[in-house]
Amino acid sequence: EALSAPRMSEVQSVPPLPFLLTVKEVSLLLQIPRHKVYLMIETGAIVAVQLNAEYRVRKDSVEQLIPEGTTLQ
């Protein structure tokens, strides 16, 4: 039996990749100094990845720190 591409009705939607924020963006969103964001990364309070010399912070990690009912744009 030959393989064929799935029909559009059979394709499941793929969840979006986690949105990554810069340290500056996190600083502005949480209204805290950048050095505090770096401290939060170092202590594991927020999840980040290092890309070359810069960090990118997972949006969902930051959202956990924001009061319920507030959404990040």
Side-chain angles (χ1 to χ4, degrees):
E1 185 172 302
L3 295 176
S4 62
R7 295 183 190 132
M8 288 303 289
S9 60
E10 298 172 343
V11 176
Q12 296 179 351
S13 63
V14 177
L17 294 175
F19 184 71
L20 300 176
L21 303 169
T22 65
V23 169
K24 181 179 180 180
E25 291 169 330
V26 174
S27 173
L28 293 171
L29 287 168
L30 298 179
Q31 299 178 0
I32 60 174
R34 287 187 210 178
H35 74 274
K36 295 276 187 182
V37 177
Y38 286 110
L39 182 61
M40 294 173 78
I41 292 168
E42 290 174 16
T43 61
I46 55 177
V47 179
V49 294
Q50 190 170 5
L51 303 172
N52 295 320
E54 297 181 5
Y55 283 98
R56 293 293 185 267
V57 181
R58 286 181 48 155
K59 181 180 175 182
D60 59 346
S61 180
V62 176
E63 286 177 321
Q64 295 174 0
L65 302 173
I66 297 176
E68 249 183 76
T70 305
T71 58
L72 300 180
Q73 300 297 324

PDB file of all heavy atoms in Angstrom, residues 8-9 17 19 24 31 33 37-38 41 43-44 48 51-52 55 57 60 63 65 73:
ATOM      1  N   MET A   8      -6.193  17.280   4.955  1.00  0.00           N
ATOM      2  CA  MET A   8      -6.240  18.414   5.883  1.00  0.00           C
ATOM      3  C   MET A   8      -7.112  18.108   7.086  1.00  0.00           C
ATOM      4  O   MET A   8      -6.815  18.515   8.193  1.00  0.00           O
ATOM      5  CB  MET A   8      -6.729  19.676   5.172  1.00  0.00           C
ATOM      6  CG  MET A   8      -5.708  20.270   4.206  1.00  0.00           C
ATOM      7  SD  MET A   8      -4.123  20.663   4.982  1.00  0.00           S
ATOM      8  CE  MET A   8      -4.589  22.060   5.978  1.00  0.00           C
ATOM      9  N   SER A   9      -8.189  17.363   6.903  1.00  0.00           N
ATOM     10  CA  SER A   9      -9.084  17.045   8.011  1.00  0.00           C
ATOM     11  C   SER A   9      -8.425  16.087   8.999  1.00  0.00           C
ATOM     12  O   SER A   9      -8.852  15.975  10.137  1.00  0.00           O
ATOM     13  CB  SER A   9     -10.386  16.443   7.493  1.00  0.00           C
ATOM     14  OG  SER A   9     -10.118  15.243   6.779  1.00  0.00           O
ATOM     15  N   LEU A  17       5.231  27.016  19.456  1.00  0.00           N
ATOM     16  CA  LEU A  17       6.419  26.912  20.288  1.00  0.00           C
ATOM     17  C   LEU A  17       6.354  27.946  21.401  1.00  0.00           C
ATOM     18  O   LEU A  17       5.727  28.998  21.234  1.00  0.00           O
ATOM     19  CB  LEU A  17       7.667  27.151  19.438  1.00  0.00           C
ATOM     20  CG  LEU A  17       7.949  26.107  18.376  1.00  0.00           C
ATOM     21  CD1 LEU A  17       9.139  26.541  17.530  1.00  0.00           C
ATOM     22  CD2 LEU A  17       8.217  24.756  18.995  1.00  0.00           C
ATOM     23  N   PHE A  19       6.950  31.039  23.443  1.00  0.00           N
ATOM     24  CA  PHE A  19       7.403  32.354  23.033  1.00  0.00           C
ATOM     25  C   PHE A  19       8.555  32.765  23.937  1.00  0.00           C
ATOM     26  O   PHE A  19       8.468  32.641  25.136  1.00  0.00           O
ATOM     27  CB  PHE A  19       6.244  33.348  23.138  1.00  0.00           C
ATOM     28  CG  PHE A  19       6.583  34.718  22.658  1.00  0.00           C
ATOM     29  CD1 PHE A  19       6.773  34.958  21.315  1.00  0.00           C
ATOM     30  CD2 PHE A  19       6.693  35.761  23.537  1.00  0.00           C
ATOM     31  CE1 PHE A  19       7.075  36.224  20.853  1.00  0.00           C
ATOM     32  CE2 PHE A  19       6.995  37.035  23.094  1.00  0.00           C
ATOM     33  CZ  PHE A  19       7.191  37.266  21.751  1.00  0.00           C
ATOM     34  N   LYS A  24      15.382  42.313  28.633  1.00  0.00           N
ATOM     35  CA  LYS A  24      14.808  43.665  28.661  1.00  0.00           C
ATOM     36  C   LYS A  24      13.278  43.614  28.659  1.00  0.00           C
ATOM     37  O   LYS A  24      12.627  44.339  29.412  1.00  0.00           O
ATOM     38  CB  LYS A  24      15.312  44.471  27.462  1.00  0.00           C
ATOM     39  CG  LYS A  24      14.797  45.883  27.419  1.00  0.00           C
ATOM     40  CD  LYS A  24      15.338  46.640  26.226  1.00  0.00           C
ATOM     41  CE  LYS A  24      14.795  48.063  26.196  1.00  0.00           C
ATOM     42  NZ  LYS A  24      15.327  48.805  25.040  1.00  0.00           N
ATOM     43  N   GLN A  31       8.291  45.080  35.529  1.00  0.00           N
ATOM     44  CA  GLN A  31       8.659  46.372  36.110  1.00  0.00           C
ATOM     45  C   GLN A  31       9.708  46.201  37.203  1.00  0.00           C
ATOM     46  O   GLN A  31       9.562  46.703  38.322  1.00  0.00           O
ATOM     47  CB  GLN A  31       7.414  47.102  36.627  1.00  0.00           C
ATOM     48  CG  GLN A  31       6.428  47.389  35.525  1.00  0.00           C
ATOM     49  CD  GLN A  31       5.160  48.070  36.004  1.00  0.00           C
ATOM     50  OE1 GLN A  31       4.994  48.340  37.185  1.00  0.00           O
ATOM     51  NE2 GLN A  31       4.265  48.344  35.083  1.00  0.00           N
ATOM     52  N   PRO A  33      14.288  45.867  37.677  1.00  0.00           N
ATOM     53  CA  PRO A  33      15.559  46.102  36.980  1.00  0.00           C
ATOM     54  C   PRO A  33      16.079  44.837  36.302  1.00  0.00           C
ATOM     55  O   PRO A  33      15.778  43.716  36.731  1.00  0.00           O
ATOM     56  CB  PRO A  33      16.515  46.529  38.100  1.00  0.00           C
ATOM     57  CG  PRO A  33      15.677  46.750  39.306  1.00  0.00           C
ATOM     58  CD  PRO A  33      14.378  46.067  39.101  1.00  0.00           C
ATOM     59  N   VAL A  37      16.197  40.338  36.872  1.00  0.00           N
ATOM     60  CA  VAL A  37      15.821  39.288  35.922  1.00  0.00           C
ATOM     61  C   VAL A  37      16.955  38.267  35.830  1.00  0.00           C
ATOM     62  O   VAL A  37      16.713  37.057  35.882  1.00  0.00           O
ATOM     63  CB  VAL A  37      15.489  39.870  34.531  1.00  0.00           C
ATOM     64  CG1 VAL A  37      15.181  38.756  33.542  1.00  0.00           C
ATOM     65  CG2 VAL A  37      14.323  40.854  34.621  1.00  0.00           C
ATOM     66  N   TYR A  38      18.196  38.740  35.730  1.00  0.00           N
ATOM     67  CA  TYR A  38      19.342  37.820  35.685  1.00  0.00           C
ATOM     68  C   TYR A  38      19.422  36.989  36.967  1.00  0.00           C
ATOM     69  O   TYR A  38      19.719  35.792  36.915  1.00  0.00           O
ATOM     70  CB  TYR A  38      20.649  38.584  35.464  1.00  0.00           C
ATOM     71  CG  TYR A  38      20.814  39.089  34.058  1.00  0.00           C
ATOM     72  CD1 TYR A  38      20.745  40.446  33.765  1.00  0.00           C
ATOM     73  CD2 TYR A  38      21.039  38.207  33.000  1.00  0.00           C
ATOM     74  CE1 TYR A  38      20.906  40.919  32.464  1.00  0.00           C
ATOM     75  CE2 TYR A  38      21.191  38.658  31.701  1.00  0.00           C
ATOM     76  CZ  TYR A  38      21.119  40.008  31.445  1.00  0.00           C
ATOM     77  OH  TYR A  38      21.268  40.461  30.158  1.00  0.00           O
ATOM     78  N   ILE A  41      16.925  34.269  36.753  1.00  0.00           N
ATOM     79  CA  ILE A  41      17.398  33.215  35.853  1.00  0.00           C
ATOM     80  C   ILE A  41      18.393  32.324  36.594  1.00  0.00           C
ATOM     81  O   ILE A  41      18.301  31.099  36.561  1.00  0.00           O
ATOM     82  CB  ILE A  41      18.031  33.818  34.586  1.00  0.00           C
ATOM     83  CG1 ILE A  41      16.959  34.500  33.728  1.00  0.00           C
ATOM     84  CG2 ILE A  41      18.768  32.748  33.790  1.00  0.00           C
ATOM     85  CD1 ILE A  41      17.513  35.361  32.601  1.00  0.00           C
ATOM     86  N   THR A  43      18.758  31.773  39.768  1.00  0.00           N
ATOM     87  CA  THR A  43      18.165  30.998  40.865  1.00  0.00           C
ATOM     88  C   THR A  43      17.113  30.003  40.388  1.00  0.00           C
ATOM     89  O   THR A  43      16.610  29.219  41.181  1.00  0.00           O
ATOM     90  CB  THR A  43      17.530  31.934  41.915  1.00  0.00           C
ATOM     91  OG1 THR A  43      16.482  32.690  41.294  1.00  0.00           O
ATOM     92  CG2 THR A  43      18.563  32.867  42.521  1.00  0.00           C
ATOM     93  N   GLY A  44      16.757  30.067  39.106  1.00  0.00           N
ATOM     94  CA  GLY A  44      15.765  29.147  38.565  1.00  0.00           C
ATOM     95  C   GLY A  44      14.333  29.598  38.769  1.00  0.00           C
ATOM     96  O   GLY A  44      13.396  28.837  38.533  1.00  0.00           O
ATOM     97  N   ALA A  48      15.034  30.050  31.383  1.00  0.00           N
ATOM     98  CA  ALA A  48      15.657  30.775  30.273  1.00  0.00           C
ATOM     99  C   ALA A  48      16.655  29.870  29.565  1.00  0.00           C
ATOM    100  O   ALA A  48      17.123  28.884  30.133  1.00  0.00           O
ATOM    101  CB  ALA A  48      16.358  32.030  30.793  1.00  0.00           C
ATOM    102  N   LEU A  51      21.504  31.949  24.409  1.00  0.00           N
ATOM    103  CA  LEU A  51      21.829  31.912  22.994  1.00  0.00           C
ATOM    104  C   LEU A  51      23.015  32.842  22.778  1.00  0.00           C
ATOM    105  O   LEU A  51      22.870  34.057  22.863  1.00  0.00           O
ATOM    106  CB  LEU A  51      20.642  32.357  22.140  1.00  0.00           C
ATOM    107  CG  LEU A  51      19.352  31.566  22.331  1.00  0.00           C
ATOM    108  CD1 LEU A  51      18.203  32.226  21.593  1.00  0.00           C
ATOM    109  CD2 LEU A  51      19.538  30.145  21.855  1.00  0.00           C
ATOM    110  N   ASN A  52      24.183  32.241  22.560  1.00  0.00           N
ATOM    111  CA  ASN A  52      25.434  33.004  22.497  1.00  0.00           C
ATOM    112  C   ASN A  52      25.604  33.749  23.814  1.00  0.00           C
ATOM    113  O   ASN A  52      25.653  33.121  24.847  1.00  0.00           O
ATOM    114  CB  ASN A  52      25.480  33.913  21.277  1.00  0.00           C
ATOM    115  CG  ASN A  52      25.496  33.123  19.986  1.00  0.00           C
ATOM    116  OD1 ASN A  52      26.158  32.095  19.898  1.00  0.00           O
ATOM    117  ND2 ASN A  52      24.765  33.594  18.993  1.00  0.00           N
ATOM    118  N   TYR A  55      20.372  35.865  26.950  1.00  0.00           N
ATOM    119  CA  TYR A  55      19.361  34.954  27.461  1.00  0.00           C
ATOM    120  C   TYR A  55      18.024  35.229  26.795  1.00  0.00           C
ATOM    121  O   TYR A  55      17.711  36.369  26.456  1.00  0.00           O
ATOM    122  CB  TYR A  55      19.181  35.134  28.974  1.00  0.00           C
ATOM    123  CG  TYR A  55      20.273  34.500  29.793  1.00  0.00           C
ATOM    124  CD1 TYR A  55      21.332  35.241  30.282  1.00  0.00           C
ATOM    125  CD2 TYR A  55      20.238  33.141  30.089  1.00  0.00           C
ATOM    126  CE1 TYR A  55      22.333  34.663  31.039  1.00  0.00           C
ATOM    127  CE2 TYR A  55      21.230  32.542  30.848  1.00  0.00           C
ATOM    128  CZ  TYR A  55      22.274  33.315  31.315  1.00  0.00           C
ATOM    129  OH  TYR A  55      23.258  32.727  32.055  1.00  0.00           O
ATOM    130  N   VAL A  57      13.968  34.203  27.739  1.00  0.00           N
ATOM    131  CA  VAL A  57      13.150  33.691  28.829  1.00  0.00           C
ATOM    132  C   VAL A  57      11.833  33.185  28.270  1.00  0.00           C
ATOM    133  O   VAL A  57      11.200  33.852  27.442  1.00  0.00           O
ATOM    134  CB  VAL A  57      12.898  34.800  29.880  1.00  0.00           C
ATOM    135  CG1 VAL A  57      12.064  34.284  31.030  1.00  0.00           C
ATOM    136  CG2 VAL A  57      14.222  35.363  30.387  1.00  0.00           C
ATOM    137  N   ASP A  60       5.851  31.552  29.246  1.00  0.00           N
ATOM    138  CA  ASP A  60       5.003  30.903  30.248  1.00  0.00           C
ATOM    139  C   ASP A  60       5.641  30.937  31.630  1.00  0.00           C
ATOM    140  O   ASP A  60       4.950  30.959  32.646  1.00  0.00           O
ATOM    141  CB  ASP A  60       4.651  29.474  29.827  1.00  0.00           C
ATOM    142  CG  ASP A  60       5.865  28.578  29.620  1.00  0.00           C
ATOM    143  OD1 ASP A  60       7.000  29.091  29.539  1.00  0.00           O
ATOM    144  OD2 ASP A  60       5.674  27.358  29.525  1.00  0.00           O
ATOM    145  N   GLU A  63       4.696  34.379  32.866  1.00  0.00           N
ATOM    146  CA  GLU A  63       3.253  34.489  33.121  1.00  0.00           C
ATOM    147  C   GLU A  63       2.879  33.939  34.495  1.00  0.00           C
ATOM    148  O   GLU A  63       1.938  34.425  35.120  1.00  0.00           O
ATOM    149  CB  GLU A  63       2.458  33.766  32.038  1.00  0.00           C
ATOM    150  CG  GLU A  63       2.444  34.507  30.727  1.00  0.00           C
ATOM    151  CD  GLU A  63       1.712  33.756  29.631  1.00  0.00           C
ATOM    152  OE1 GLU A  63       1.843  32.521  29.548  1.00  0.00           O
ATOM    153  OE2 GLU A  63       1.019  34.423  28.853  1.00  0.00           O
ATOM    154  N   LEU A  65       4.322  34.440  37.154  1.00  0.00           N
ATOM    155  CA  LEU A  65       4.622  35.455  38.163  1.00  0.00           C
ATOM    156  C   LEU A  65       3.632  36.614  38.146  1.00  0.00           C
ATOM    157  O   LEU A  65       3.655  37.459  39.029  1.00  0.00           O
ATOM    158  CB  LEU A  65       6.038  36.001  37.939  1.00  0.00           C
ATOM    159  CG  LEU A  65       7.156  34.976  37.961  1.00  0.00           C
ATOM    160  CD1 LEU A  65       8.467  35.619  37.553  1.00  0.00           C
ATOM    161  CD2 LEU A  65       7.271  34.328  39.321  1.00  0.00           C
ATOM    162  N   GLN A  73       0.769  40.608  26.312  1.00  0.00           N
ATOM    163  CA  GLN A  73       0.466  40.868  24.909  1.00  0.00           C
ATOM    164  C   GLN A  73       1.693  40.674  24.073  1.00  0.00           C
ATOM    165  O   GLN A  73       2.759  40.908  24.421  1.00  0.00           O
ATOM    166  CB  GLN A  73      -0.083  42.272  24.726  1.00  0.00           C
ATOM    167  CG  GLN A  73      -1.347  42.513  25.501  1.00  0.00           C
ATOM    168  CD  GLN A  73      -2.508  41.630  25.076  1.00  0.00           C
ATOM    169  OE1 GLN A  73      -2.658  41.321  23.888  1.00  0.00           O
ATOM    170  NE2 GLN A  73      -3.312  41.182  25.992  1.00  0.00           N
TER     171      GLN A  73
END
